[in-house]
Amino acid sequence: MKTADVIKLDLNRYASTPPKVAIVGAGCGEVELLTLKAARYISKADVIIYDSLVCEEILTLASSRCAMHFVGKRCGQPSAKQDEINALLVASARGGGFVVRLKGGDPNIFGRGCEEALYLAESGIKSEFVPGVTAALGCAASAGIPLTHRGVARSVTFVTGRVFDNSAQSWSALLCAETSLVFYMGKEQAGNIAKGLLAAGASIELPMAFITNGARVDQDVVYAKLGSMAMVAQRLVVEGPTLIIVGEVVNVAQTLSELVLSIEERGSQRVSEHSDNQMNPSRLVR
């Protein structure tokens, strides 16, 4: 084969043998963040195997004939083992019909999507991935935090907050120039995260934010500095998944928030003045 040859991917090559399983990202919050393809697959599924971070409204898209299996994993709570989930996927696929493995966010961002795809493939079952809006993107956008911003952050790093390397070298690598850090499931490890970053040379004034239930109606955003991050996390009493964003982009978001608030306040003031003028015509300027 010539080195200049181009290998063209034929997207229709699977048309005659569609996958039996779709590993689908449900997005990070409300149903409107679901992709059109994900919604279509959910509506035509014969079996749905879903996680705890999938919102109830998304599940209502499934047909009444669809068999629903909850296999959610939550920190510190009884949950399905991965081996059990793998076995259920294989059994459901071999039982016939179309199977949707529904995961919060994107299936391959801390979602074990490819682990399950590999297990299915080893069992002779083909699957496909349907991407979803991962928590870092959805929560940051909903909170008004740009993960990259010219002159402030030119890269972003996603880190799991549950298990990580505590070596000084690893923390230093995370602090490369102009980088935003996003820690998934990091609230319980906030003290260790702050300690590691500070030991690696981060400033105690480095801004950060906790985002709980991001991109949902009950979203909660709490701002702090790296130096007080552990203390704020201990005082934070919330229910639901919490994302941590660390970096100067948080200051950009706060500036934007203040500007938007001032616009809203001016708008409210104009509405109030207009209402007063209508009620008291003598105040009109002629």
Side-chain angles (χ1 to χ4, degrees):
M1 184 178 69
K2 296 179 180 179
T3 56
D5 285 352
V6 176
I7 300 174
K8 183 178 180 180
L9 175 63
D10 182 0
L11 296 178
N12 295 318
R13 61 180 174 150
Y14 296 131
S16 59
T17 57
K20 294 182 177 180
V21 179
I23 302 175
V24 178
C28 64
E30 61 187 20
V31 68
E32 289 183 328
L33 292 178
L34 198 65
T35 67
L36 293 174
K37 186 173 184 177
R40 178 165 57 85
Y41 275 17
I42 292 168
S43 66
K44 78 172 189 176
D46 298 297
V47 179
I48 293 179
I49 301 168
Y50 67 98
D51 285 345
S52 57
L53 296 181
V54 177
C55 79
E56 291 294 328
E57 193 176 2
I58 288 175
L59 297 177
T60 64
L61 298 175
S63 70
S64 58
R65 62 174 174 73
C66 181
M68 309 290 287
H69 299 278
F70 173 68
V71 293
K73 296 174 180 287
R74 295 304 298 270
C75 182
Q77 299 179 18
S79 56
K81 305 297 183 184
Q82 190 61 51
D83 288 345
E84 297 170 346
I85 297 172
N86 291 343
L88 178 59
L89 280 167
V90 170
S92 298
R94 288 176 175 168
F98 180 51
V99 181
V100 166
R101 173 66 171 108
L102 194 57
K103 295 173 171 288
D106 182 272
N108 284 320
I109 303 293
F110 304 122
R112 299 190 179 184
C114 205
E115 287 184 33
E116 294 174 356
L118 286 167
Y119 188 89
L120 286 164
E122 290 166 356
S123 302
I125 299 168
K126 186 168 62 177
S127 63
E128 73 168 292
F129 296 118
V130 177
V133 179
T134 188
L137 305 183
C139 295
S142 184
I145 301 175
L147 293 179
T148 62
H149 187 77
R150 187 169 56 159
V152 176
R154 59 183 177 181
S155 65
V156 57
T157 303
F158 300 163
V159 189
T160 174
R162 288 185 177 175
V163 180
F164 45 83
D165 186 346
N166 272 319
S167 68
Q169 183 177 4
S170 294
W171 286 113
S172 296
L174 289 178
L175 284 175
C176 61
E178 297 182 9
T179 296
S180 303
L181 300 177
V182 181
F183 293 90
Y184 283 63
M185 304 161 288
K187 179 178 175 293
E188 288 73 21
Q189 293 291 336
N192 290 330
I193 293 171
K195 182 180 178 180
L197 292 174
L198 290 169
S203 168
I204 61 173
E205 295 298 316
L206 188 65
M208 58 81 52
F210 294 97
I211 306 175
T212 303
N213 294 319
R216 300 172 188 256
V217 294
D218 56 346
Q219 173 178 287
D220 184 56
V221 182
V222 176
Y223 296 103
K225 301 292 186 181
L226 189 60
S228 61
M229 176 173 156
M231 179 185 67
V232 173
Q234 289 179 346
R235 295 178 178 177
L236 200 59
V237 180
V238 292
E239 293 184 4
T242 299
L243 193 83
I244 296 174
I245 299 179
V246 179
E248 295 297 338
V249 289
V250 175
N251 275 343
V252 177
Q254 288 183 286
T255 299
L256 174 61
S257 178
E258 291 168 1
L259 289 170
V260 170
L261 182 60
S262 68
I263 293 170
E264 292 175 346
E265 289 175 345
R266 290 197 300 271
S268 298
Q269 184 178 5
R270 284 195 294 268
V271 170
S272 177
E273 291 174 350
H274 178 70
S275 178
D276 289 345
N277 288 335
Q278 285 186 323
M279 294 176 64
N280 185 4
S282 64
R283 294 184 58 191
L284 292 174
V285 178
R286 299 185 184 279

